[in-house]
Amino acid sequence: MTEQCLVLIKPDAIIKHLTGDILAKLAETNLHIVGSKVVQVTKELAEEHYQHLREEKFFDELIKYIMGHYHMKSVLALVYEGDGACAKIRKCAGATNPEEAEPHSVRGKYGRITSKGIFENVVHASENPKEGEREIKLWFRPDELISTIYPTEMKEAKIEKMLWKED
Ligand code: GDP
Ligand code: MG
């Protein structure tokens, strides 16, 4: 079944210039990218994204990690689409613990556990299509994706936007 999966290339991968290698590896899944953007992750976004891990002892470090406090403040967010997208991407990404990940998976190849015990596992991938939908709606607006993957509605909204200053 066609589904979508949110992929995040995490700050440890960005600072090591691993983006190209990771995208090449993920291309082996034959899935298509339907959205992408570079994001400076706020505390609110990080905490909402990882809300299910709130009780974990590594939560505070995880929030700092995804916000870029240990590397650089940049994450590449992508939406992959296709048949069984989440399972295919997660197989390619490898196990959460980089030391347990298959050596040729993305995390097995590029991940590490730091001496402080932080899992630097280079990518995030949605666990299943339902979680994918929650995460994609959190990270992307409908007009940032090439197709309307979830129902949308027109709403009048007053939004303050940073624009280029006119001469
Ligand atoms: P994922 O779906 O494979 O990313 O794993 P989870 O959803 O369980 O965890 C989300 C993220 O939390 C992981 O990708 C890691 O960055 C981090 N994490 C998970 N388990 C641990 C752990 O035992 N220790 C540490 N330090 N971080 C962890
Ligand atoms: Mg997860």
Side-chain angles (χ1 to χ4, degrees):
M1 209 182 85
T2 297
E3 57 186 52
Q4 291 80 22
C5 178
L6 179 80
V7 170
L8 303 175
I9 304 208
K10 296 181 176 180
D12 52 321
I14 302 283
I15 205 166
K16 291 176 183 170
H17 298 291
L18 291 172
T19 304
D21 297 87
I22 293 170
L23 294 183
K25 185 93 181 103
L26 294 180
E28 291 172 12
T29 60
N30 274 324
L31 299 164
H32 289 285
I33 295 170
V34 296
S36 84
K37 66 174 171 181
V38 184
V39 181
Q40 269 200 342
V41 180
T42 61
K43 197 158 192 278
E44 293 69 40
L45 175 58
E47 288 183 349
E48 190 60 32
H49 177 77
Y50 283 128
Q51 41 138 331
H52 59 294
L53 297 172
R54 238 172 247 273
E55 304 303 322
E56 300 291 342
K57 59 182 185 314
F58 56 81
F59 184 71
D60 288 349
E61 279 176 348
L62 175 61
I63 297 304
K64 283 192 194 143
Y65 166 41
I66 200 68
M67 287 179 72
H69 286 218
Y70 305 123
H71 305 95
M72 61 186 289
K73 293 190 167 103
S74 176
V75 159
L76 178 63
L78 303 137
V79 179
Y80 279 81
E81 182 175 79
D83 213 26
C86 294
K88 283 180 183 163
I89 295 272
R90 283 182 71 85
K91 182 160 194 319
C92 194
T96 307
N97 180 338
E99 282 181 3
E100 289 170 6
E102 281 190 48
H104 61 269
S105 67
V106 173
R107 286 166 166 175
K109 252 179 136 169
Y110 304 119
R112 66 166 189 161
I113 301 180
T114 69
S115 52
K116 286 186 178 150
I118 297 166
F119 285 17
E120 290 187 355
N121 59 4
V122 297
V123 288
H124 164 83
S126 310
E127 269 161 55
N128 53 54
K130 188 164 175 278
E131 195 51 12
E133 177 172 351
R134 183 189 78 81
E135 294 175 354
I136 291 164
K137 286 178 172 172
L138 184 63
W139 287 76
F140 287 87
R141 290 195 318 264
D143 62 358
E144 291 176 319
L145 305 176
I146 60 161
S147 57
T148 312
I149 57 177
Y150 309 118
T152 54
E153 57 181 345
M154 271 300 177
K155 268 190 184 169
E156 218 172 89
K158 196 177 168 201
I159 300 169
E160 246 183 40
K161 259 190 184 175
M162 181 87 76
L163 298 174
W164 298 116
K165 199 173 175 193
E166 284 175 36
D167 291 330

